[in-house]
Amino acid sequence: NTPDSGKDSDDPVVGWVVVVDGPGRGRSLSLGYGMNDIARSSTARVPLDFGDDEIARAQHATITFDPRGLRFFVQRTLGKT
């Protein structure tokens, strides 16, 4: 599998999220600069809608890329199912 191209071709890919278990196993989704919201919703920057109801429909988590420090930060959000 090749990583998904992402929603905005002007936003360079800085990393990937790879599903390693459960529904969607083997799929990869690209991450861009700044905040990458993760949820089942198709409007999420990283949509993980593979039939896993453990992932919130909106605001499940956020992965933020810091280009100065070249680091990623993962933050769990409240999530709305």
Side-chain angles (χ1 to χ4, degrees):
N1 282 346
T2 58
D4 290 347
S5 61
K7 294 185 179 200
D8 186 355
S9 61
D10 293 336
D11 188 16
V13 175
V14 297
W16 293 270
V17 170
V18 179
V19 181
V20 297
D21 196 14
R25 183 177 179 197
R27 296 283 311 269
S28 59
L29 297 107
S30 59
L31 298 173
Y33 279 107
M35 296 177 68
N36 296 270
D37 62 313
I38 299 170
R40 282 184 298 156
S41 171
S42 62
T43 61
R45 193 169 185 184
V46 182
L48 294 179
D49 190 11
F50 302 117
D52 186 347
D53 291 338
E54 294 293 317
I55 298 171
R57 186 177 328 275
Q59 302 175 359
H60 184 82
T62 302
I63 298 176
T64 304
F65 176 68
D66 171 21
R68 288 189 178 168
L70 299 177
R71 296 187 301 174
F72 291 92
F73 298 93
V74 179
Q75 179 180 10
R76 185 173 185 180
T77 52
L78 298 176
K80 297 177 183 176
T81 55

Coordinates of all heavy atoms in Angstrom, one line a residue:
N1 N 0.8 -1.2 0.0 CA 0.0 0.0 0.0 C 0.9 1.2 0.0 O 1.8 1.4 0.7 CB -0.9 0.0 1.2 CG -2.1 -0.9 1.1 OD1 -2.4 -1.3 0.1 ND2 -2.7 -1.1 2.3
T2 N 0.5 2.2 -0.8 CA 1.2 3.5 -0.8 C 0.3 4.5 0.1 O -0.9 4.3 0.2 CB 1.3 4.1 -2.2 OG1 0.0 4.2 -2.8 CG2 2.2 3.2 -3.1
P3 N 1.0 5.4 0.7 CA 0.3 6.4 1.5 C -0.7 7.1 0.7 O -0.5 7.4 -0.4 CB 1.4 7.3 2.1 CG 2.6 6.5 2.0 CD 2.4 5.6 0.8
D4 N -1.9 7.5 1.4 CA -2.9 8.3 0.7 C -2.3 9.7 0.4 O -1.4 10.1 1.1 CB -4.1 8.5 1.6 CG -4.9 7.2 1.8 OD1 -4.7 6.2 1.0 OD2 -5.7 7.2 2.7
S5 N -2.7 10.3 -0.7 CA -2.1 11.5 -1.1 C -2.5 12.7 -0.2 O -1.9 13.7 -0.3 CB -2.6 11.8 -2.5 OG -4.0 11.9 -2.6
G6 N -3.6 12.6 0.6 CA -4.0 13.7 1.5 C -5.0 14.5 0.7 O -5.3 14.3 -0.4
K7 N -5.6 15.4 1.5 CA -6.7 16.2 0.9 C -6.2 17.5 0.2 O -6.9 18.0 -0.7 CB -7.7 16.6 2.0 CG -8.4 15.4 2.6 CD -9.4 15.8 3.6 CE -10.1 14.6 4.1 NZ -11.3 14.8 4.7
D8 N -5.1 18.0 0.5 CA -4.6 19.2 0.0 C -3.2 19.0 -0.6 O -2.2 18.8 0.1 CB -4.5 20.3 1.0 CG -4.2 21.7 0.5 OD1 -3.9 21.8 -0.7 OD2 -4.2 22.6 1.3
S9 N -3.1 19.0 -1.9 CA -1.8 18.7 -2.6 C -0.8 19.8 -2.3 O 0.4 19.6 -2.5 CB -2.0 18.6 -4.1 OG -2.6 19.7 -4.6
D10 N -1.2 21.0 -1.8 CA -0.2 22.1 -1.5 C 0.4 21.9 -0.2 O 1.4 22.5 0.2 CB -0.9 23.5 -1.5 CG -1.4 23.8 -2.9 OD1 -0.8 23.3 -3.9 OD2 -2.3 24.6 -3.0
D11 N -0.1 21.0 0.6 CA 0.4 20.7 2.0 C 1.4 19.5 1.9 O 1.0 18.4 1.6 CB -0.8 20.3 2.9 CG -0.4 20.2 4.3 OD1 0.7 20.7 4.7 OD2 -1.2 19.6 5.1
P12 N 2.7 19.8 2.1 CA 3.6 18.7 2.0 C 3.4 17.6 3.1 O 3.0 17.9 4.2 CB 5.0 19.4 2.2 CG 4.7 20.7 2.8 CD 3.3 21.0 2.5
V13 N 3.7 16.4 2.7 CA 3.6 15.3 3.6 C 4.8 15.3 4.5 O 5.9 15.3 4.1 CB 3.5 13.9 2.9 CG1 3.5 12.7 3.8 CG2 2.2 13.9 2.0
V14 N 4.5 15.2 5.9 CA 5.6 15.2 6.8 C 5.7 13.9 7.6 O 6.6 13.7 8.4 CB 5.5 16.4 7.8 CG1 5.6 17.7 7.1 CG2 4.2 16.3 8.6
G15 N 4.8 13.0 7.4 CA 4.7 11.7 8.1 C 3.5 10.9 7.7 O 2.7 11.4 6.9
W16 N 3.3 9.8 8.3 CA 2.2 8.9 8.0 C 1.7 8.3 9.3 O 2.4 8.0 10.2 CB 2.6 7.8 7.0 CG 2.9 8.3 5.7 CD1 2.1 8.5 4.6 CD2 4.2 8.7 5.2 NE1 2.7 9.0 3.5 CE2 4.1 9.1 3.9 CE3 5.5 8.7 5.8 CZ2 5.1 9.5 3.1 CZ3 6.5 9.2 5.0 CH2 6.3 9.6 3.7
V17 N 0.4 8.0 9.3 CA -0.2 7.1 10.3 C -0.5 5.8 9.6 O -1.1 5.8 8.5 CB -1.6 7.8 10.8 CG1 -2.3 6.8 11.7 CG2 -1.3 9.0 11.6
V18 N -0.1 4.7 10.2 CA -0.3 3.4 9.6 C -1.1 2.6 10.6 O -0.8 2.5 11.8 CB 1.0 2.7 9.4 CG1 0.8 1.3 8.8 CG2 1.9 3.5 8.4
V19 N -2.2 2.0 10.1 CA -3.1 1.2 10.8 C -2.4 -0.2 10.9 O -2.2 -0.9 9.9 CB -4.5 1.1 10.2 CG1 -5.4 0.2 11.1 CG2 -5.1 2.4 10.0
V20 N -2.1 -0.7 12.1 CA -1.4 -1.9 12.3 C -2.3 -3.1 12.8 O -1.8 -4.3 12.8 CB -0.2 -1.8 13.2 CG1 0.8 -0.8 12.6 CG2 -0.6 -1.3 14.6
D21 N -3.5 -2.8 13.2 CA -4.4 -3.9 13.7 C -5.8 -3.5 13.5 O -6.1 -2.3 13.5 CB -4.1 -4.1 15.2 CG -4.6 -5.4 15.7 OD1 -5.0 -6.3 14.9 OD2 -4.7 -5.6 16.9
G22 N -6.7 -4.4 13.4 CA -8.1 -4.2 13.4 C -8.6 -3.8 12.0 O -7.8 -3.9 11.0
P23 N -9.8 -3.2 11.9 CA -10.3 -2.8 10.6 C -9.4 -1.7 10.0 O -8.9 -0.9 10.7 CB -11.6 -2.1 10.9 CG -12.0 -2.7 12.2 CD -10.7 -3.0 13.0
G24 N -9.1 -1.9 8.7 CA -8.2 -0.9 8.0 C -6.7 -1.3 8.1 O -5.9 -0.5 7.6
R25 N -6.4 -2.5 8.7 CA -5.0 -2.9 8.8 C -4.3 -2.8 7.5 O -4.8 -3.2 6.5 CB -5.0 -4.3 9.3 CG -3.6 -4.8 9.6 CD -3.6 -6.2 10.1 NE -2.2 -6.7 10.3 CZ -1.9 -7.9 10.4 NH1 -2.8 -8.9 10.4 NH2 -0.6 -8.2 10.6
G26 N -3.1 -2.2 7.6 CA -2.2 -2.0 6.4 C -2.4 -0.7 5.7 O -1.6 -0.3 4.8
R27 N -3.5 0.0 6.0 CA -3.7 1.3 5.4 C -2.8 2.4 6.0 O -2.4 2.3 7.1 CB -5.2 1.8 5.5 CG -6.2 0.9 4.9 CD -6.3 1.1 3.4 NE -6.4 2.5 3.0 CZ -7.5 3.2 2.8 NH1 -8.7 2.6 3.0 NH2 -7.5 4.4 2.5
S28 N -2.4 3.4 5.2 CA -1.6 4.5 5.7 C -2.2 5.8 5.2 O -2.8 5.9 4.1 CB -0.2 4.4 5.2 OG -0.1 4.4 3.8
L29 N -2.1 6.8 6.1 CA -2.7 8.1 5.8 C -1.6 9.2 6.1 O -0.9 9.0 7.1 CB -3.9 8.4 6.6 CG -5.1 7.4 6.3 CD1 -5.2 6.4 7.4 CD2 -6.3 8.1 6.0
S30 N -1.5 10.2 5.2 CA -0.5 11.2 5.3 C -0.8 12.2 6.4 O -2.0 12.5 6.7 CB -0.2 11.8 4.0 OG -1.4 12.4 3.5
L31 N 0.3 12.8 7.0 CA 0.2 13.9 7.9 C 0.8 15.1 7.3 O 1.8 15.0 6.5 CB 1.0 13.5 9.2 CG 0.5 12.3 10.0 CD1 1.4 12.0 11.1 CD2 -0.9 12.6 10.5
G32 N 0.3 16.3 7.6 CA 0.8 17.5 7.1 C 1.3 18.4 8.2 O 1.3 18.0 9.4
Y33 N 1.8 19.6 7.8 CA 2.3 20.5 8.8 C 1.2 20.9 9.7 O 0.0 20.9 9.4 CB 2.8 21.8 8.1 CG 4.2 21.7 7.6 CD1 4.4 21.6 6.2 CD2 5.3 21.7 8.4 CE1 5.7 21.5 5.7 CE2 6.6 21.6 7.9 CZ 6.8 21.5 6.6 OH 8.0 21.4 6.1
G34 N 1.5 21.2 11.0 CA 0.5 21.7 11.9 C -0.3 20.6 12.5 O 0.1 19.5 12.7
M35 N -1.6 21.0 12.8 CA -2.5 20.0 13.5 C -3.2 19.1 12.5 O -3.7 19.6 11.5 CB -3.5 20.8 14.3 CG -2.9 21.6 15.4 SD -4.1 22.6 16.3 CE -5.1 21.3 17.1
N36 N -3.2 17.8 12.8 CA -3.8 16.8 12.0 C -4.9 16.1 12.9 O -4.5 15.3 13.7 CB -2.8 15.8 11.5 CG -1.7 16.3 10.6 OD1 -1.9 16.4 9.4 ND2 -0.6 16.8 11.2
D37 N -6.2 16.5 12.7 CA -7.2 15.9 13.5 C -7.5 14.5 13.0 O -7.5 14.3 11.8 CB -8.4 16.8 13.6 CG -9.1 17.0 12.2 OD1 -8.4 17.3 11.2 OD2 -10.3 16.8 12.1
I38 N -7.7 13.6 13.9 CA -8.0 12.2 13.6 C -9.4 11.9 14.1 O -9.8 12.2 15.3 CB -7.0 11.3 14.3 CG1 -5.6 11.6 13.8 CG2 -7.3 9.8 14.1 CD1 -4.5 10.9 14.6
A39 N -10.2 11.2 13.2 CA -11.6 10.9 13.6 C -12.1 10.0 12.5 O -11.5 9.8 11.4 CB -12.4 12.1 13.8
R40 N -13.3 9.4 12.7 CA -14.0 8.6 11.7 C -14.6 9.5 10.6 O -14.9 9.1 9.5 CB -15.1 7.8 12.3 CG -14.6 6.5 13.0 CD -15.7 5.7 13.4 NE -16.5 6.4 14.4 CZ -17.8 6.2 14.7 NH1 -18.4 5.2 14.1 NH2 -18.4 6.9 15.6
S41 N -14.8 10.8 10.9 CA -15.5 11.7 10.0 C -14.7 11.9 8.7 O -13.4 12.0 8.7 CB -15.7 13.0 10.6 OG -16.2 14.0 9.7
S42 N -15.3 12.0 7.6 CA -14.6 12.2 6.3 C -14.1 13.6 6.2 O -13.2 13.9 5.4 CB -15.6 12.0 5.1 OG -16.7 12.9 5.2
T43 N -14.5 14.5 7.1 CA -14.0 15.9 7.2 C -12.7 16.0 8.0 O -12.1 17.0 8.0 CB -15.0 16.9 7.7 OG1 -15.4 16.5 9.0 CG2 -16.3 16.9 6.8
A44 N -12.3 14.9 8.7 CA -11.1 15.0 9.5 C -9.9 15.0 8.5 O -9.9 14.4 7.4 CB -11.0 13.7 10.4
R45 N -8.8 15.6 8.9 CA -7.6 15.7 8.1 C -7.0 14.3 7.9 O -6.5 13.9 6.9 CB -6.6 16.6 8.7 CG -5.5 16.9 7.8 CD -4.6 18.1 8.4 NE -3.6 18.5 7.5 CZ -2.7 19.4 7.8 NH1 -2.7 20.0 8.9 NH2 -1.8 19.7 6.9
V46 N -7.2 13.4 9.0 CA -6.8 12.0 8.9 C -8.1 11.2 9.2 O -8.3 10.9 10.4 CB -5.7 11.7 9.9 CG1 -5.2 10.3 9.8 CG2 -4.5 12.7 9.7
P47 N -8.8 10.9 8.2 CA -10.1 10.1 8.4 C -9.8 8.6 8.6 O -9.3 7.9 7.7 CB -10.9 10.4 7.2 CG -9.9 10.6 6.1 CD -8.7 11.3 6.8
L48 N -10.1 8.1 9.8 CA -10.0 6.7 10.1 C -11.3 6.0 10.2 O -11.7 5.5 11.2 CB -9.2 6.5 11.4 CG -7.7 7.0 11.4 CD1 -7.1 6.7 12.8 CD2 -6.9 6.3 10.4
D49 N -12.0 6.0 9.1 CA -13.4 5.4 9.0 C -13.3 4.0 8.4 O -13.6 3.8 7.2 CB -14.3 6.3 8.3 CG -15.8 5.8 8.5 OD1 -16.0 4.9 9.3 OD2 -16.7 6.3 7.7
F50 N -12.8 3.0 9.2 CA -12.7 1.6 8.7 C -13.7 0.7 9.4 O -13.4 -0.5 9.4 CB -11.3 1.2 8.9 CG -10.2 2.0 8.2 CD1 -9.3 2.7 8.9 CD2 -10.3 2.2 6.8 CE1 -8.4 3.5 8.3 CE2 -9.3 3.0 6.2 CZ -8.4 3.7 7.0
G51 N -14.7 1.3 10.0 CA -15.7 0.4 10.7 C -15.4 0.2 12.2 O -16.0 -0.7 12.8
D52 N -14.4 0.9 12.8 CA -14.0 0.7 14.2 C -14.8 1.7 15.0 O -14.4 2.9 15.0 CB -12.5 0.8 14.3 CG -12.1 0.5 15.7 OD1 -12.9 0.4 16.7 OD2 -10.8 0.3 15.9
D53 N -15.8 1.3 15.7 CA -16.6 2.3 16.5 C -15.8 2.8 17.8 O -16.3 3.7 18.5 CB -17.9 1.7 16.9 CG -18.8 1.5 15.7 OD1 -18.6 2.2 14.7 OD2 -19.7 0.7 15.8
E54 N -14.6 2.3 18.0 CA -13.8 2.8 19.2 C -13.2 4.1 18.8 O -12.8 4.8 19.7 CB -12.7 1.8 19.5 CG -13.3 0.4 20.1 CD -13.9 0.6 21.4 OE1 -13.4 1.3 22.3 OE2 -15.0 0.0 21.6
I55 N -13.2 4.4 17.5 CA -12.7 5.7 17.1 C -13.8 6.7 17.0 O -14.8 6.4 16.4 CB -12.0 5.6 15.7 CG1 -10.8 4.7 15.8 CG2 -11.5 7.0 15.2 CD1 -10.2 4.3 14.5
A56 N -13.7 7.8 17.7 CA -14.8 8.8 17.7 C -15.0 9.4 16.3 O -14.1 9.5 15.5 CB -14.4 10.0 18.7
R57 N -16.3 9.7 16.1 CA -16.7 10.3 14.8 C -16.0 11.7 14.6 O -15.7 12.0 13.5 CB -18.2 10.5 14.8 CG -18.8 10.9 13.5 CD -20.3 11.0 13.4 NE -21.0 10.1 14.3 CZ -21.3 8.8 13.9 NH1 -21.0 8.4 12.8 NH2 -22.0 8.1 14.8
A58 N -15.8 12.4 15.7 CA -15.1 13.7 15.5 C -14.2 14.0 16.7 O -14.5 13.5 17.8 CB -16.2 14.8 15.5
Q59 N -13.1 14.6 16.5 CA -12.2 15.0 17.6 C -11.7 13.9 18.4 O -11.6 14.0 19.6 CB -12.9 16.1 18.5 CG -13.3 17.3 17.7 CD -14.1 18.3 18.6 OE1 -14.3 18.0 19.8 NE2 -14.5 19.4 18.1
H60 N -11.3 12.8 17.8 CA -10.7 11.6 18.6 C -9.4 11.9 19.1 O -9.1 11.7 20.3 CB -10.7 10.4 17.7 CG -10.2 9.2 18.4 ND1 -11.1 8.4 19.1 CD2 -9.0 8.6 18.5 CE1 -10.4 7.4 19.7 NE2 -9.1 7.5 19.3
A61 N -8.5 12.5 18.3 CA -7.1 12.8 18.6 C -6.5 13.8 17.6 O -7.1 14.0 16.6 CB -6.3 11.6 18.7
T62 N -5.4 14.4 18.0 CA -4.7 15.3 17.1 C -3.2 14.9 17.1 O -2.6 14.7 18.2 CB -4.9 16.7 17.6 OG1 -6.2 17.1 17.6 CG2 -4.2 17.7 16.7
I63 N -2.6 14.9 16.0 CA -1.2 14.8 15.8 C -0.7 16.1 15.2 O -1.1 16.5 14.2 CB -0.7 13.6 14.9 CG1 -1.2 12.3 15.5 CG2 0.8 13.6 14.8 CD1 -0.9 11.1 14.6
T64 N 0.2 16.8 16.0 CA 0.7 18.0 15.5 C 2.2 17.9 15.2 O 3.0 17.3 15.9 CB 0.6 19.1 16.6 OG1 -0.8 19.2 17.0 CG2 1.1 20.5 16.1
F65 N 2.6 18.4 14.0 CA 4.0 18.3 13.6 C 4.6 19.7 13.8 O 4.1 20.7 13.4 CB 4.1 18.0 12.1 CG 5.5 18.0 11.6 CD1 6.5 17.1 12.1 CD2 5.9 19.0 10.7 CE1 7.8 17.2 11.6 CE2 7.3 19.1 10.3 CZ 8.2 18.1 10.7
D66 N 5.7 19.7 14.5 CA 6.5 20.9 14.8 C 7.7 21.0 13.9 O 8.6 20.2 14.0 CB 7.0 21.0 16.3 CG 7.9 22.1 16.6 OD1 8.0 23.1 15.8 OD2 8.7 22.0 17.5
P67 N 7.7 21.8 12.8 CA 8.7 21.8 11.8 C 10.1 22.4 12.4 O 11.1 22.0 11.9 CB 8.2 22.7 10.7 CG 7.2 23.6 11.3 CD 6.6 22.8 12.5
R68 N 10.0 23.2 13.4 CA 11.3 23.7 14.0 C 12.0 22.6 14.8 O 13.2 22.5 14.7 CB 11.0 24.9 14.9 CG 10.6 26.1 14.1 CD 10.6 27.3 15.0 NE 10.3 28.5 14.2 CZ 9.9 29.7 14.7 NH1 9.9 29.8 16.0 NH2 9.7 30.7 13.9
G69 N 11.3 21.9 15.6 CA 11.9 20.8 16.4 C 11.9 19.5 15.7 O 12.5 18.5 16.2
L70 N 11.3 19.4 14.5 CA 11.1 18.2 13.7 C 10.6 17.1 14.6 O 11.1 16.0 14.7 CB 12.5 17.8 13.1 CG 13.1 18.8 12.1 CD1 14.4 18.3 11.7 CD2 12.1 19.0 11.0
R71 N 9.5 17.4 15.4 CA 8.9 16.4 16.3 C 7.4 16.4 16.1 O 6.8 17.4 15.6 CB 9.1 16.8 17.7 CG 10.6 16.7 18.1 CD 10.9 16.9 19.5 NE 10.3 18.2 20.0 CZ 10.3 18.6 21.3 NH1 10.8 17.8 22.2 NH2 9.8 19.8 21.6
F72 N 6.8 15.3 16.4 CA 5.3 15.1 16.4 C 4.8 15.1 17.9 O 5.5 14.5 18.7 CB 5.0 13.8 15.7 CG 5.2 13.8 14.3 CD1 6.5 13.3 13.8 CD2 4.3 14.2 13.4 CE1 6.7 13.3 12.4 CE2 4.5 14.2 12.0 CZ 5.8 13.7 11.5
F73 N 3.6 15.6 18.1 CA 3.0 15.6 19.4 C 1.6 15.0 19.2 O 0.8 15.4 18.3 CB 2.9 17.0 20.0 CG 4.2 17.7 20.2 CD1 4.8 18.5 19.2 CD2 4.9 17.4 21.4 CE1 6.0 19.1 19.4 CE2 6.1 18.0 21.6 CZ 6.7 18.9 20.6
V74 N 1.3 14.0 20.0 CA 0.0 13.3 20.0 C -0.8 13.8 21.2 O -0.3 13.7 22.3 CB 0.1 11.8 20.0 CG1 -1.2 11.1 19.9 CG2 1.0 11.3 18.8
Q75 N -2.1 14.2 20.9 CA -2.9 14.7 22.0 C -4.3 14.0 21.8 O -4.9 14.1 20.7 CB -3.1 16.2 22.0 CG -4.0 16.7 23.0 CD -4.1 18.2 23.0 OE1 -3.7 18.9 22.0 NE2 -4.7 18.8 24.0
R76 N -4.7 13.3 22.8 CA -6.1 12.8 22.8 C -7.1 13.9 23.1 O -6.9 14.7 24.1 CB -6.2 11.7 23.9 CG -7.5 11.0 23.8 CD -7.5 9.8 24.7 NE -8.8 9.1 24.5 CZ -9.1 8.0 25.1 NH1 -8.3 7.5 26.0 NH2 -10.2 7.4 24.9
T77 N -8.1 14.0 22.4 CA -9.2 15.0 22.6 C -10.4 14.3 23.2 O -10.4 13.1 23.4 CB -9.5 15.7 21.3 OG1 -9.8 14.8 20.3 CG2 -8.3 16.6 20.9
L78 N -11.4 15.1 23.5 CA -12.6 14.5 24.1 C -13.4 13.5 23.3 O -14.0 12.6 23.8 CB -13.5 15.7 24.6 CG -12.9 16.6 25.6 CD1 -13.9 17.7 25.9 CD2 -12.6 15.9 26.9
G79 N -13.3 13.7 22.0 CA -14.0 12.8 21.0 C -15.5 12.9 21.1 O -16.1 12.9 22.2
K80 N -16.2 13.0 20.0 CA -17.6 13.0 19.9 C -18.1 11.8 19.1 O -17.7 11.7 17.9 CB -18.1 14.3 19.3 CG -17.8 15.5 20.1 CD -18.2 16.8 19.4 CE -17.8 18.0 20.2 NZ -18.1 19.2 19.5
T81 N -18.8 10.9 19.6 CA -19.3 9.7 18.9 C -20.5 9.9 18.1 O -21.2 10.9 18.1 CB -19.4 8.5 19.8 OG1 -20.3 8.9 20.8 CG2 -18.1 8.1 20.3

